[in-house]
Amino acid sequence: MAVLFELSKNYYYLDQQIEAVVYAKKALTVEPNNKWILRHLVAIYSKANNFAAAIPIQEKLAKINVNENEQLVLLYFQNNEPEKGKALLIR
């Protein structure tokens, strides 16, 4: 799992998002709730402005840890879903 995660990070820093996503997803097959890999996958999608793909992953993180809601609010606003973001802020 660690090797796959490191490969994903290397591809991320080389701006090769497709490869970074592939290796991050492979790492998640070994450890599906690893918060570091999930956060990394959100970062990959965010960097590519693919907020729609980042949101479900961030929602999973928020279920694991309530402190992850702040990033989820930001993603909702970036994905042009302000009502969902506002609803989280009110809670």
Side-chain angles (χ1 to χ4, degrees):
M1 185 278 307
V3 172
L4 296 170
F5 183 36
E6 291 301 320
L7 281 169
S8 178
K9 290 193 297 186
N10 287 338
Y11 281 118
Y12 172 80
Y13 292 121
L14 292 171
D15 289 323
Q16 296 180 8
Q17 278 84 19
I18 294 170
E19 291 85 355
V21 168
V22 168
Y23 283 103
K25 286 184 175 182
K26 284 183 181 182
L28 283 174
T29 63
V30 178
E31 215 173 310
N33 292 322
N34 184 304
K35 68 180 181 180
W36 302 107
I37 301 169
L38 291 169
R39 285 179 183 162
H40 175 64
L41 198 50
V42 169
I44 296 168
Y45 286 132
S46 295
K47 185 176 181 179
N49 293 326
N50 189 351
F51 306 115
I55 287 171
I57 300 161
Q58 190 64 39
E59 289 172 337
K60 183 175 182 176
L61 279 165
K63 286 179 184 173
I64 296 168
N65 181 358
V66 165
N67 294 328
E68 299 285 348
N69 277 341
E70 187 176 315
Q71 179 65 24
L72 184 55
V73 170
L74 177 63
L75 287 170
Y76 281 138
F77 278 94
Q78 289 174 318
N79 199 45
N80 206 17
E81 299 179 71
E83 294 306 316
K84 287 184 178 181
K86 288 177 188 175
L88 270 180
L89 289 173
I90 294 170
R91 282 200 242 171

